[in-house]
Amino acid sequence: MRDGQEPKRPMVPWGFVFGPTLSFGTMFLVVVLLQRWSPVAVVVVYMFLFLIIWAPMVFVGSARARKLPFFALGLLNTLASFAGIIAGLVAYHRYVLPYASFEDHRMYSNVLTSEPPRSHADAGVLEFAKSCHVDGSKGVGMLREAGTFCAAPIVDDAAPGRVEYWAVGLDCCSPRGDFTCGDVEDKDARQ
């Protein structure tokens, strides 16, 4: 060190901090957001990132011992993106798919309780006729470790008979009667 000069500070390897994080986040979001509409797009994005960005880092770093940081960074980015794909698939199947599947099913309106349920087997949403309502006084609850599972019949006063449709909920009823799940108190609720 010469007189009057400050010592050199070591460079912070920001690529090692932000590169894998960005790779993980990118692949996670790509899987969660695009998996439903185009699984091929997920593969295309991964291959683009691997072939254009990460693979050159790995090969340049392995070709020359001096470029070892490139090899490590390329390997870290590849592993982080693969972990992002796995985490994205788990999140997609656990959180997105159950809600998104309603879009794939039909909606039936003006359903009567006298109609056979198998005629609506492909339903995502049933909207009942105005003469139908949930009979909360006949609700039942079953206590389990996860909570109280509740069910009450959906009935039609104009056509009494066998109960084929049920309203269900979690932790919103007593063991017998008193079913208060969702909008059961709202007389205009039909779904």
Side-chain angles (χ1 to χ4, degrees):
M1 181 169 71
R2 295 184 182 161
D3 291 334
Q5 286 185 336
E6 292 185 25
K8 288 186 178 180
R9 295 181 185 168
M11 281 186 44
V12 177
W14 292 111
F16 285 95
V17 175
F18 293 115
T21 303
L22 189 60
S23 296
F24 177 88
T26 300
M27 290 314 300
F28 178 83
L29 289 174
V30 164
V31 169
V32 169
L33 298 177
L34 292 181
Q35 177 71 19
R36 178 165 170 70
W37 294 279
S38 179
V40 174
V42 174
V43 174
V44 168
V45 170
Y46 181 78
M47 294 308 294
F48 172 78
L49 292 175
F50 181 75
L51 293 174
I52 302 301
I53 299 172
W54 306 318
M57 288 182 186
V58 171
F59 293 125
V60 166
S62 63
R64 297 187 180 134
R66 298 185 319 216
K67 304 288 185 181
L68 188 61
F70 284 110
F71 175 77
L73 185 58
L75 192 60
L76 280 174
N77 281 327
T78 302
L79 293 174
S81 65
F82 186 69
I85 290 172
I86 300 299
L89 286 172
V90 168
Y92 174 78
H93 285 283
R94 186 173 289 172
Y95 301 110
V96 176
L97 193 59
Y99 295 102
S101 67
F102 284 108
E103 292 178 5
D104 295 338
H105 293 89
R106 294 186 61 183
M107 178 181 173
Y108 290 95
S109 57
N110 207 25
V111 175
L112 296 170
T113 58
S114 58
E115 297 175 24
R118 68 180 158 269
S119 65
H120 304 110
D122 62 342
V125 176
L126 293 177
E127 185 175 303
F128 288 93
K130 290 187 178 185
S131 61
C132 301
H133 66 278
V134 177
D135 189 353
S137 66
K138 294 184 179 154
V140 293
M142 181 173 67
L143 185 61
R144 294 287 185 215
E145 289 179 17
T148 303
F149 293 90
C150 307
I154 300 174
V155 296
D156 186 350
D157 293 332
R162 182 177 170 173
V163 175
E164 298 280 356
Y165 296 94
W166 296 82
V168 296
L170 183 63
D171 294 330
C172 51
C173 66
S174 60
R176 295 277 183 247
D178 196 30
F179 181 88
T180 59
C181 300
D183 293 331
V184 73
E185 302 294 326
D186 183 3
K187 297 301 178 191
D188 294 327
R190 298 284 165 239
Q191 294 180 351

